[in-house]
Amino acid sequence: MEIRAGHLEDAVTVLNSVPELDAGVSLDQCHARLAGRKALALVAYQNGEPVGAKIGYATSQTQFYSWLGGVTKAARGQGVAKALLKAQEAWVAASGYQTLAVKSRNRFTAMVCMLMRHGYQMVAVEQKGQPADYRLYFEKQINKCTASEKISVFFS
């Protein structure tokens, strides 16, 4: 697996194949959301094909927000999401941010469990709709990352 930064078109292609993102996302939506912000689009490739993506942007000088992410069904269970998470954390740390924030929904248990396993703490819950649709807000203090996590930015 190879993880590369800066391929927003490939990231959108991947995200539109992720069934959990039922509304999908367009390249125009991404450009509008990221406009004027320091942003990062990561794409994981296997055999030259994009199989995972993670897009985020700065919300302040000290906080980076992980906005969208996902892995194709065919590539799940192969460590792609974890590799993207670690690459994003490393880039965020190297860029001087102190906090990485992310929002998920209660129904995405695999994502929630992965975040908690990797040191993210739930900081808020937004009750919206049914309990499965509640929004869960997580943060991780990035200055606590180990040196090895910071060094392994785009290597797998």
Side-chain angles (χ1 to χ4, degrees):
M1 175 182 12
E2 179 185 8
I3 297 177
R4 294 188 293 223
H7 294 61
L8 194 54
E9 294 82 3
D10 284 351
V12 168
T13 298
V14 168
L15 294 172
N16 284 326
S17 73
V18 174
E20 291 86 354
L21 299 175
D22 36 271
V25 64
S26 72
L27 195 53
D28 287 341
Q29 287 173 308
C30 287
H31 284 299
R33 174 66 72 105
L34 304 176
R37 303 175 194 240
K38 187 168 182 178
L40 174 68
L42 292 173
V43 180
Y45 296 87
Q46 287 181 340
N47 302 317
E49 294 297 316
V51 296
K54 200 160 197 50
I55 301 172
Y57 55 86
T59 56
S60 73
Q61 289 187 330
T62 59
Q63 186 175 70
F64 195 83
Y65 176 63
S66 184
W67 174 44
L68 283 175
V71 175
T72 62
K73 279 207 171 251
R76 291 185 181 179
Q78 300 173 33
V80 176
K82 178 181 175 182
L84 285 165
L85 177 85
K86 291 301 180 184
Q88 185 181 59
E89 287 179 0
W91 183 91
V92 166
S95 298
Y97 296 99
Q98 297 169 6
T99 306
L100 184 52
V102 63
K103 175 176 70 172
S104 188
R105 292 191 186 189
N106 209 18
R107 68 179 169 197
F108 301 137
T109 55
M111 177 67 170
V112 170
C113 289
M114 183 179 73
L115 289 169
M116 295 184 86
R117 272 193 317 273
H118 289 94
Y120 288 78
Q121 295 182 336
M122 191 181 309
V123 295
V125 175
E126 178 185 355
Q127 296 182 5
K128 196 169 188 178
Q130 298 298 313
D133 291 319
Y134 287 8
R135 275 63 167 178
L136 309 178
Y137 294 83
F138 294 88
E139 289 183 359
K140 181 174 183 176
Q141 297 305 306
I142 293 303
N143 54 358
K144 294 181 182 176
C145 288
T146 65
S148 64
E149 289 173 332
K150 291 178 184 176
I151 291 170
S152 66
V153 179
F154 299 110
F155 304 99
S156 55

Short mmCIF file of all heavy atoms in Angstrom, two decimals, residues 30-72:
data_model
loop_
_atom_site.label_atom_id
_atom_site.label_comp_id
_atom_site.label_asym_id
_atom_site.label_seq_id
_atom_site.Cartn_x
_atom_site.Cartn_y
_atom_site.Cartn_z
N CYS A 30 -16.01 19.65 -2.34
CA CYS A 30 -14.72 19.60 -1.65
C CYS A 30 -13.97 20.92 -1.81
O CYS A 30 -13.46 21.47 -0.83
CB CYS A 30 -13.87 18.45 -2.17
SG CYS A 30 -14.45 16.84 -1.63
N HIS A 31 -13.93 21.42 -3.03
CA HIS A 31 -13.24 22.70 -3.26
C HIS A 31 -13.89 23.81 -2.44
O HIS A 31 -13.19 24.65 -1.86
CB HIS A 31 -13.21 23.04 -4.74
CG HIS A 31 -12.21 22.26 -5.52
ND1 HIS A 31 -10.85 22.30 -5.27
CD2 HIS A 31 -12.36 21.39 -6.55
CE1 HIS A 31 -10.21 21.51 -6.10
NE2 HIS A 31 -11.11 20.93 -6.90
N ALA A 32 -15.22 23.83 -2.39
CA ALA A 32 -15.92 24.86 -1.62
C ALA A 32 -15.60 24.75 -0.13
O ALA A 32 -15.35 25.75 0.54
CB ALA A 32 -17.43 24.77 -1.86
N ARG A 33 -15.60 23.53 0.41
CA ARG A 33 -15.33 23.33 1.84
C ARG A 33 -13.88 23.68 2.18
O ARG A 33 -13.60 24.21 3.25
CB ARG A 33 -15.64 21.88 2.21
CG ARG A 33 -15.29 21.45 3.62
CD ARG A 33 -16.11 22.12 4.72
NE ARG A 33 -17.47 21.67 4.78
CZ ARG A 33 -17.96 20.84 5.69
NH1 ARG A 33 -17.18 20.39 6.66
NH2 ARG A 33 -19.21 20.49 5.66
N LEU A 34 -12.96 23.37 1.29
CA LEU A 34 -11.54 23.55 1.57
C LEU A 34 -11.01 24.93 1.18
O LEU A 34 -9.88 25.27 1.56
CB LEU A 34 -10.72 22.47 0.85
CG LEU A 34 -11.10 21.02 1.17
CD1 LEU A 34 -10.28 20.06 0.34
CD2 LEU A 34 -10.97 20.72 2.65
N ALA A 35 -11.80 25.71 0.47
CA ALA A 35 -11.35 27.00 -0.05
C ALA A 35 -10.83 27.90 1.08
O ALA A 35 -11.49 28.08 2.10
CB ALA A 35 -12.48 27.70 -0.79
N GLY A 36 -9.63 28.43 0.88
CA GLY A 36 -9.05 29.35 1.83
C GLY A 36 -8.52 28.72 3.11
O GLY A 36 -8.14 29.43 4.04
N ARG A 37 -8.53 27.41 3.18
CA ARG A 37 -8.05 26.72 4.39
C ARG A 37 -6.82 25.88 4.05
O ARG A 37 -6.69 25.40 2.93
CB ARG A 37 -9.12 25.76 4.92
CG ARG A 37 -10.44 26.40 5.24
CD ARG A 37 -11.42 25.29 5.62
NE ARG A 37 -12.79 25.76 5.64
CZ ARG A 37 -13.56 25.75 6.70
NH1 ARG A 37 -13.11 25.27 7.84
NH2 ARG A 37 -14.80 26.17 6.64
N LYS A 38 -5.98 25.68 5.05
CA LYS A 38 -4.90 24.72 4.87
C LYS A 38 -5.54 23.35 4.95
O LYS A 38 -6.23 23.01 5.92
CB LYS A 38 -3.84 24.90 5.96
CG LYS A 38 -2.62 24.03 5.72
CD LYS A 38 -1.48 24.40 6.61
CE LYS A 38 -0.29 23.52 6.27
NZ LYS A 38 0.87 23.87 7.08
N ALA A 39 -5.35 22.56 3.90
CA ALA A 39 -6.06 21.28 3.80
C ALA A 39 -5.11 20.16 3.41
O ALA A 39 -4.01 20.40 2.91
CB ALA A 39 -7.18 21.39 2.77
N LEU A 40 -5.57 18.95 3.65
CA LEU A 40 -4.82 17.74 3.29
C LEU A 40 -5.79 16.70 2.76
O LEU A 40 -6.80 16.39 3.39
CB LEU A 40 -4.10 17.17 4.52
CG LEU A 40 -3.39 15.84 4.32
CD1 LEU A 40 -2.19 16.00 3.38
CD2 LEU A 40 -2.94 15.27 5.67
N ALA A 41 -5.49 16.19 1.57
CA ALA A 41 -6.23 15.06 1.01
C ALA A 41 -5.24 13.91 0.88
O ALA A 41 -4.23 14.03 0.17
CB ALA A 41 -6.83 15.40 -0.35
N LEU A 42 -5.50 12.82 1.57
CA LEU A 42 -4.66 11.63 1.50
C LEU A 42 -5.41 10.55 0.75
O LEU A 42 -6.62 10.37 0.95
CB LEU A 42 -4.33 11.11 2.90
CG LEU A 42 -3.43 11.95 3.77
CD1 LEU A 42 -3.36 11.37 5.17
CD2 LEU A 42 -2.04 12.05 3.16
N VAL A 43 -4.69 9.81 -0.08
CA VAL A 43 -5.28 8.68 -0.80
C VAL A 43 -4.37 7.47 -0.64
O VAL A 43 -3.15 7.58 -0.81
CB VAL A 43 -5.49 9.00 -2.30
CG1 VAL A 43 -6.12 7.82 -3.02
CG2 VAL A 43 -6.35 10.25 -2.48
N ALA A 44 -4.98 6.34 -0.30
CA ALA A 44 -4.25 5.08 -0.20
C ALA A 44 -4.44 4.32 -1.51
O ALA A 44 -5.56 4.22 -2.02
CB ALA A 44 -4.78 4.24 0.97
N TYR A 45 -3.34 3.80 -2.03
CA TYR A 45 -3.37 3.06 -3.30
C TYR A 45 -2.86 1.64 -3.07
O TYR A 45 -1.89 1.44 -2.34
CB TYR A 45 -2.46 3.73 -4.33
CG TYR A 45 -2.88 5.11 -4.73
CD1 TYR A 45 -2.46 6.22 -4.00
CD2 TYR A 45 -3.71 5.32 -5.83
CE1 TYR A 45 -2.85 7.50 -4.35
CE2 TYR A 45 -4.10 6.60 -6.20
CZ TYR A 45 -3.67 7.68 -5.46
OH TYR A 45 -4.06 8.95 -5.82
N GLN A 46 -3.52 0.69 -3.71
CA GLN A 46 -3.05 -0.69 -3.76
C GLN A 46 -2.97 -1.06 -5.23
O GLN A 46 -3.97 -0.92 -5.96
CB GLN A 46 -4.00 -1.63 -3.03
CG GLN A 46 -3.94 -1.50 -1.53
CD GLN A 46 -4.88 -2.47 -0.82
OE1 GLN A 46 -5.83 -2.99 -1.38
NE2 GLN A 46 -4.61 -2.69 0.46
N ASN A 47 -1.81 -1.49 -5.66
CA ASN A 47 -1.59 -1.84 -7.07
C ASN A 47 -2.00 -0.70 -7.99
O ASN A 47 -2.59 -0.92 -9.06
CB ASN A 47 -2.33 -3.13 -7.44
CG ASN A 47 -1.91 -4.29 -6.58
OD1 ASN A 47 -0.72 -4.47 -6.32
ND2 ASN A 47 -2.86 -5.06 -6.10
N GLY A 48 -1.72 0.53 -7.57
CA GLY A 48 -2.00 1.69 -8.39
C GLY A 48 -3.44 2.18 -8.37
O GLY A 48 -3.77 3.20 -8.96
N GLU A 49 -4.32 1.45 -7.69
CA GLU A 49 -5.74 1.82 -7.63
C GLU A 49 -6.06 2.49 -6.29
O GLU A 49 -5.65 2.00 -5.23
CB GLU A 49 -6.63 0.58 -7.77
CG GLU A 49 -6.53 -0.09 -9.13
CD GLU A 49 -7.00 0.81 -10.25
OE1 GLU A 49 -8.05 1.48 -10.09
OE2 GLU A 49 -6.31 0.87 -11.28
N PRO A 50 -6.82 3.59 -6.31
CA PRO A 50 -7.20 4.23 -5.05
C PRO A 50 -8.21 3.39 -4.29
O PRO A 50 -9.23 2.97 -4.85
CB PRO A 50 -7.81 5.57 -5.50
CG PRO A 50 -8.24 5.35 -6.90
CD PRO A 50 -7.34 4.30 -7.47
N VAL A 51 -7.91 3.10 -3.01
CA VAL A 51 -8.79 2.23 -2.20
C VAL A 51 -9.24 2.88 -0.90
O VAL A 51 -10.10 2.35 -0.20
CB VAL A 51 -8.11 0.88 -1.90
CG1 VAL A 51 -7.86 0.09 -3.18
CG2 VAL A 51 -6.81 1.07 -1.11
N GLY A 52 -8.65 4.01 -0.56
CA GLY A 52 -9.03 4.70 0.67
C GLY A 52 -8.68 6.16 0.57
O GLY A 52 -7.80 6.54 -0.20
N ALA A 53 -9.39 6.99 1.35
CA ALA A 53 -9.12 8.42 1.31
C ALA A 53 -9.45 9.06 2.65
O ALA A 53 -10.29 8.56 3.41
CB ALA A 53 -9.94 9.09 0.21
N LYS A 54 -8.80 10.17 2.93
CA LYS A 54 -9.04 10.94 4.14
C LYS A 54 -8.77 12.40 3.80
O LYS A 54 -7.70 12.74 3.31
CB LYS A 54 -8.12 10.46 5.25
CG LYS A 54 -8.57 10.81 6.64
CD LYS A 54 -7.86 9.87 7.62
CE LYS A 54 -8.47 9.79 8.97
NZ LYS A 54 -9.89 9.55 9.03
N ILE A 55 -9.77 13.25 4.03
CA ILE A 55 -9.66 14.68 3.73
C ILE A 55 -9.89 15.45 5.02
O ILE A 55 -10.81 15.15 5.77
CB ILE A 55 -10.71 15.11 2.69
CG1 ILE A 55 -10.56 14.31 1.39
CG2 ILE A 55 -10.61 16.61 2.41
CD1 ILE A 55 -11.69 14.55 0.39
N GLY A 56 -9.07 16.46 5.24
CA GLY A 56 -9.24 17.31 6.41
C GLY A 56 -8.73 18.70 6.15
O GLY A 56 -8.13 18.98 5.12
N TYR A 57 -8.98 19.59 7.13
CA TYR A 57 -8.56 20.98 6.98
C TYR A 57 -8.40 21.62 8.36
O TYR A 57 -8.95 21.16 9.35
CB TYR A 57 -9.57 21.77 6.14
CG TYR A 57 -10.99 21.71 6.64
CD1 TYR A 57 -11.45 22.59 7.62
CD2 TYR A 57 -11.88 20.76 6.14
CE1 TYR A 57 -12.76 22.55 8.08
CE2 TYR A 57 -13.19 20.71 6.59
CZ TYR A 57 -13.62 21.60 7.56
OH TYR A 57 -14.92 21.55 8.03
N ALA A 58 -7.64 22.71 8.36
CA ALA A 58 -7.41 23.45 9.60
C ALA A 58 -8.65 24.24 9.97
O ALA A 58 -9.29 24.86 9.11
CB ALA A 58 -6.23 24.40 9.42
N THR A 59 -9.00 24.20 11.25
CA THR A 59 -10.11 25.02 11.75
C THR A 59 -9.57 26.20 12.56
O THR A 59 -10.30 27.12 12.86
CB THR A 59 -11.08 24.19 12.61
OG1 THR A 59 -10.34 23.57 13.67
CG2 THR A 59 -11.77 23.15 11.78
N SER A 60 -8.29 26.12 12.93
CA SER A 60 -7.61 27.21 13.63
C SER A 60 -6.11 26.96 13.47
O SER A 60 -5.71 25.99 12.83
CB SER A 60 -8.00 27.23 15.12
OG SER A 60 -7.40 26.15 15.81
N GLN A 61 -5.31 27.79 14.09
CA GLN A 61 -3.86 27.59 14.02
C GLN A 61 -3.41 26.38 14.83
O GLN A 61 -2.32 25.86 14.61
CB GLN A 61 -3.13 28.83 14.51
CG GLN A 61 -3.25 29.99 13.54
CD GLN A 61 -2.38 31.16 13.96
OE1 GLN A 61 -2.14 31.38 15.14
NE2 GLN A 61 -1.90 31.90 12.98
N THR A 62 -4.26 25.90 15.73
CA THR A 62 -3.86 24.78 16.59
C THR A 62 -4.67 23.52 16.36
O THR A 62 -4.31 22.46 16.86
CB THR A 62 -3.97 25.17 18.08
OG1 THR A 62 -5.33 25.53 18.36
CG2 THR A 62 -3.04 26.32 18.42
N GLN A 63 -5.77 23.60 15.61
CA GLN A 63 -6.63 22.43 15.43
C GLN A 63 -6.85 22.11 13.95
O GLN A 63 -7.09 22.98 13.13
CB GLN A 63 -7.99 22.63 16.09
CG GLN A 63 -8.85 21.35 16.03
CD GLN A 63 -10.14 21.50 16.78
OE1 GLN A 63 -11.03 22.24 16.35
NE2 GLN A 63 -10.25 20.82 17.90
N PHE A 64 -6.78 20.81 13.66
CA PHE A 64 -7.05 20.27 12.33
C PHE A 64 -8.27 19.36 12.44
O PHE A 64 -8.40 18.62 13.41
CB PHE A 64 -5.84 19.48 11.82
CG PHE A 64 -5.86 19.20 10.35
CD1 PHE A 64 -5.42 20.16 9.44
CD2 PHE A 64 -6.32 17.99 9.87
CE1 PHE A 64 -5.43 19.91 8.08
CE2 PHE A 64 -6.35 17.72 8.51
CZ PHE A 64 -5.90 18.68 7.60
N TYR A 65 -9.17 19.45 11.47
CA TYR A 65 -10.40 18.67 11.48
C TYR A 65 -10.36 17.62 10.38
O TYR A 65 -10.18 17.94 9.21
CB TYR A 65 -11.60 19.60 11.28
CG TYR A 65 -12.93 18.90 11.18
CD1 TYR A 65 -13.44 18.16 12.25
CD2 TYR A 65 -13.68 18.96 10.02
CE1 TYR A 65 -14.65 17.52 12.16
CE2 TYR A 65 -14.91 18.32 9.92
CZ TYR A 65 -15.39 17.60 10.99
OH TYR A 65 -16.60 16.95 10.90
N SER A 66 -10.54 16.37 10.75
CA SER A 66 -10.62 15.27 9.79
C SER A 66 -12.06 15.18 9.31
O SER A 66 -12.93 14.68 10.01
CB SER A 66 -10.17 13.96 10.46
OG SER A 66 -10.17 12.92 9.52
N TRP A 67 -12.32 15.69 8.11
CA TRP A 67 -13.67 15.90 7.61
C TRP A 67 -14.31 14.65 7.02
O TRP A 67 -15.40 14.25 7.42
CB TRP A 67 -13.64 17.03 6.59
CG TRP A 67 -14.91 17.30 5.87
CD1 TRP A 67 -16.17 17.35 6.40
CD2 TRP A 67 -15.06 17.55 4.48
NE1 TRP A 67 -17.09 17.64 5.42
CE2 TRP A 67 -16.42 17.77 4.22
CE3 TRP A 67 -14.16 17.64 3.41
CZ2 TRP A 67 -16.92 18.06 2.95
CZ3 TRP A 67 -14.65 17.93 2.16
CH2 TRP A 67 -16.02 18.13 1.94
N LEU A 68 -13.67 14.03 6.06
CA LEU A 68 -14.24 12.87 5.37
C LEU A 68 -13.20 11.78 5.22
O LEU A 68 -12.03 12.08 4.98
CB LEU A 68 -14.72 13.25 3.97
CG LEU A 68 -16.01 14.01 3.81
CD1 LEU A 68 -16.22 14.40 2.35
CD2 LEU A 68 -17.18 13.19 4.30
N GLY A 69 -13.64 10.55 5.31
CA GLY A 69 -12.74 9.44 5.08
C GLY A 69 -13.51 8.18 4.81
O GLY A 69 -14.68 8.06 5.16
N GLY A 70 -12.85 7.25 4.15
CA GLY A 70 -13.49 5.97 3.89
C GLY A 70 -12.58 5.05 3.11
O GLY A 70 -11.56 5.47 2.54
N VAL A 71 -12.96 3.79 3.10
CA VAL A 71 -12.23 2.73 2.41
C VAL A 71 -13.22 1.94 1.57
O VAL A 71 -14.34 1.67 2.02
CB VAL A 71 -11.52 1.81 3.44
CG1 VAL A 71 -10.84 0.63 2.76
CG2 VAL A 71 -10.54 2.60 4.28
N THR A 72 -12.81 1.58 0.36
CA THR A 72 -13.68 0.79 -0.50
C THR A 72 -13.99 -0.55 0.16
O THR A 72 -13.18 -1.06 0.95
CB THR A 72 -13.04 0.53 -1.88
OG1 THR A 72 -11.84 -0.22 -1.69
CG2 THR A 72 -12.74 1.83 -2.61
#
